[in-house]
């Protein structure tokens, strides 16, 4: 850990704060799944994988993760049996990394049922590729060893695993330094074999530096990151490159707003476009407002449509591929409405798509027309910590 602390100190000394900015629904209007003939199945399989690590702690994940926030309500009723059947289909297709949280309704329980199905119905080696990532979002109370242990045991029981693949930790109040106590207790649980890897969610660059300086073996930080929200590339990604910590991104298709469905939609005409009727659509519409508004967003969608048509894919495919190509990004989340809709076939086109420099430059040109969100919102995760 001494090497990590040295690297962080170097970053703190040299970093300039004035660096320039750098629910998912697939459209059926594009021709998906185009794979270049020179690419083998083995090569494509390798493109699906990434490793997050810190020292001897290491975890291989799928670069497109199945986000389970949509099981928590607000997107439609989830039938338990249908949801587990859908999870099996995703895993069978190689999309076998599932991301959930203690507060995502029945998400951890669904994973427990799913993993038992896998144990009964699939060969033992199948389990080697399945990953269950969860988050712990505690109230900012005193972080005693027993409180941390009891909380993690709840997730272990619900997910029916002896060892959590990854525990991603969220903290509400930076003025309360209890987050360091919690992470140290989580490290103890890791050493006991109850957690394989420790990670963060929605931490900012300053606090990530502090955590690493305290010797906590963090492997990743899950943050909001899309073509509209490029904040992670302004400060966070530089520190990640220096220390080896990776980014796992969510909001990458903005709840489905980055799709053909919202192209050429005029919001000034009542009922003219799709309703903003889910928590994710409402959340990311507010992000568009902060970035540059609906008119600029339409310019971005038209640019993405041009790139997508060039490669015979969809707008969401381009949006995810663009973020996967960003500095320090190990994987991107796509929300799954288990048993209600499915995007397994569409996801394959993300792995086979290669954006050229013209594509990336045209996208960045529009992205940079928007506001610098670090100035208006703050660093990664700060939107969760404002009164």
């Amino acid at each position: 850990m001494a090497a990590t602390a040295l690297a962080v100190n170097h970053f703190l000394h040299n970093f300039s704060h004035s660096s320039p900015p750098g629910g998912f629904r697939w459209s059926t209007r594009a021709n998906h799944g185009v794979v270049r003939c020179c690419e083998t199945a083995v090569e494509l399989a390798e493109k699906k994988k990434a490793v997050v690590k810190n020292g001897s702690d290491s975890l291989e994940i799928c670069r497109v993760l199945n986000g389970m926030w949509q099981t928590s309500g607000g997107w439609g009723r989830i039938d338990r049996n249908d949801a587990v059947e859908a999870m099996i289909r995703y895993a069978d297709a190689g999309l076998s990394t599932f991301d959930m949280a203690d507060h995502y309704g029945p998400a951890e329980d669904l994973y427990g049922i799913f993993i038992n199905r896998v144990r009964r119905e699939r060969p033992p080696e199948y389990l080697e590729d399945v990953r269950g990532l969860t988050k712990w979002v505690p109230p900012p109370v005193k972080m005693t060893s027993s409180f941390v242990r009891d909380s993690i045991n709840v997730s272990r029981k619900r997910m029916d695993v002896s060892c959590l693949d990854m525990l991603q930790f969220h903290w509400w109040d930076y003025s309360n330094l209890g987050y360091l106590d919690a992470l140290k207790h989580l490290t103890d649980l890791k050493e006991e074999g109850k957690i394989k890897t420790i990670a963060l969610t929605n931490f900012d660059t300053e606090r990530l530096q502090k955590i690493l300086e305290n010797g906590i073996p963090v492997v990743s930080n899950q943050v909001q990151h899309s073509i509209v929200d490029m904040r992670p590339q302004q400060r966070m990604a530089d520190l990640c490159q220096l220390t080896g910590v990776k980014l796992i991104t969510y909001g990458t298709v903005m709840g489905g707003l980055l799709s053909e469905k919202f192209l050429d939609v005029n919001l000034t005409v009542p009922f003219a476009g799709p309703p903003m009727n889910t928590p994710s659509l409402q959340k990311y519409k507010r992000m568009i407002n902060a970035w540059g508004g609906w008119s600029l967003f339409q310019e971005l969608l038209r640019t993405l449509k041009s790139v997508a048509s060039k490669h015979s894919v969809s707008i969401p495919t381009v949006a995810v591929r663009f973020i996967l190509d960003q500095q320090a990004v190990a994987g991107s989340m796509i929300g799954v409405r288990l048993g209600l809709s499915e995007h397994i076939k569409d996801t394959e086109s993300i792995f086979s798509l290669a954006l050229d420099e013209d594509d990336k430059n045209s996208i960045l040109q529009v992205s940079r027309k928007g506001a610098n969100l670090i100035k208006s919102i703050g660093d990664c995760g700060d939107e969760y910590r404002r009164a």
Side-chain angles (χ1 to χ4, degrees):
M1 300 309 299
T4 298
L6 267 173
V8 171
N9 284 331
H10 176 80
F11 178 85
L12 281 166
H13 179 73
N14 290 291
F15 183 76
S16 166
H17 290 260
S18 61
S19 303
F24 180 83
R25 192 172 295 158
W26 289 97
S27 166
T28 57
R29 289 162 60 183
N31 177 24
H32 304 297
V34 177
V35 178
R36 295 190 303 276
C37 61
C38 60
E39 218 161 22
T40 68
V42 172
E43 288 171 332
L44 277 174
E46 287 303 309
K47 282 187 174 184
K48 291 183 179 182
K49 301 174 183 176
V51 175
V52 293
K53 62 184 299 183
N54 188 323
S56 60
D57 297 345
S58 176
L59 188 72
E60 185 177 82
I61 62 172
C62 181
R63 294 204 73 196
V64 174
L65 299 88
N66 304 312
M68 295 178 66
W69 181 29
Q70 296 183 11
T71 65
S72 62
W75 288 266
R77 181 181 174 275
I78 297 290
D79 178 85
R80 186 186 72 173
N81 293 330
D82 290 346
V84 172
E85 288 290 343
M87 293 174 76
I88 293 286
R89 290 194 295 274
Y90 277 96
D92 284 346
L95 303 172
S96 53
T97 299
F98 296 87
D99 178 90
M100 63 212 86
D102 58 350
H103 62 291
Y104 285 4
E108 290 184 335
D109 301 302
L110 290 171
Y111 185 85
I113 300 168
F114 156 76
I115 202 67
N116 270 298
R117 281 276 307 272
V118 169
R119 289 167 183 151
R120 293 194 310 268
E121 300 173 9
R122 298 295 184 271
E125 58 270 20
Y126 188 102
L127 280 167
E128 296 175 7
D129 292 326
V130 177
R131 300 287 181 264
L133 285 51
T134 195
K135 305 179 194 75
W136 181 40
V137 186
V141 298
K142 187 173 178 59
M143 292 290 114
T144 64
S145 176
S146 59
F147 178 77
V148 175
R149 182 180 298 272
D150 290 347
S151 300
I152 299 313
N153 282 341
V154 171
S155 289
R156 291 171 60 228
K157 182 177 181 180
R158 291 180 69 191
M159 295 173 67
D160 201 7
V161 293
S162 59
C163 177
L164 299 174
D165 289 323
M166 178 185 287
L167 193 284
Q168 301 166 102
F169 176 67
H170 175 90
W171 191 249
W172 294 105
D173 181 11
Y174 290 145
S175 67
N176 181 342
L177 294 180
Y179 66 89
L180 292 173
D181 296 325
L183 284 164
K184 287 171 182 175
H185 295 317
L186 290 173
T187 302
D188 291 339
L189 292 175
K190 181 186 72 69
E191 296 301 325
E192 294 176 21
K194 293 180 171 60
I195 301 171
K196 186 173 178 61
T197 55
I198 296 170
L200 306 173
T201 182
N202 290 314
F203 271 78
D204 66 7
T205 309
E206 181 182 345
R207 254 53 63 158
L208 174 57
Q209 295 164 356
K210 189 178 185 71
I211 288 165
L212 293 172
E213 287 179 317
N214 276 269
I216 308 298
V218 170
V219 299
S220 64
N221 186 20
Q222 187 176 137
V223 294
Q224 184 174 293
H225 195 356
S226 68
I227 296 168
V228 166
D229 185 2
M230 294 291 287
R231 286 177 297 162
Q233 294 303 314
Q234 291 185 247
R235 298 185 61 203
M236 180 69 67
D238 288 339
L239 178 60
C240 289
Q241 285 294 96
L242 190 65
T243 60
V245 174
K246 295 295 186 182
L247 298 176
I248 295 175
T249 74
Y250 67 89
T252 306
V253 294
M254 307 188 74
L257 285 166
L258 284 170
S259 69
E260 281 83 356
K261 183 174 182 178
F262 289 91
L263 178 62
D264 296 328
V265 167
N266 184 351
L267 292 185
T268 64
V269 179
F271 310 109
M276 301 282 182
N277 59 353
T278 69
S280 53
L281 287 172
Q282 294 161 10
K283 172 182 179 178
Y284 296 116
K285 174 58 168 60
R286 290 192 295 271
M287 190 60 59
I288 289 169
N289 294 343
W291 169 70
W294 194 251
S295 178
L296 181 58
F297 184 67
Q298 286 299 309
E299 182 180 344
L300 176 61
L301 285 181
R302 288 191 293 271
T303 299
L304 292 173
K305 180 60 178 177
S306 176
V307 173
S309 298
K310 170 182 168 181
H311 294 280
S312 299
V313 295
S314 69
I315 287 176
T317 298
V318 175
V320 176
R321 182 72 260 172
F322 182 85
I323 296 301
L324 285 176
D325 289 343
Q326 298 302 304
Q327 181 177 235
V329 174
S332 290
M333 202 82 57
I334 296 177
V336 287
R337 302 178 68 193
L338 297 170
L340 299 177
S341 62
E342 205 162 272
H343 54 75
I344 291 173
K345 291 182 179 179
D346 306 285
T347 303
E348 295 298 326
S349 58
I350 296 172
F351 301 113
S352 58
L353 175 61
L355 298 175
D356 60 35
E357 289 306 307
D358 287 342
D359 299 330
K360 294 176 183 178
N361 288 336
S362 65
I363 293 168
L364 278 174
Q365 186 176 9
V366 183
S367 176
R368 288 170 174 162
K369 289 183 179 181
N372 184 342
L373 294 178
I374 276 194
K375 290 183 178 179
S376 58
I377 297 176
D379 200 0
C380 301
D382 280 358
E383 59 268 31
Y384 296 102
R385 296 178 181 86
R386 296 202 165 191

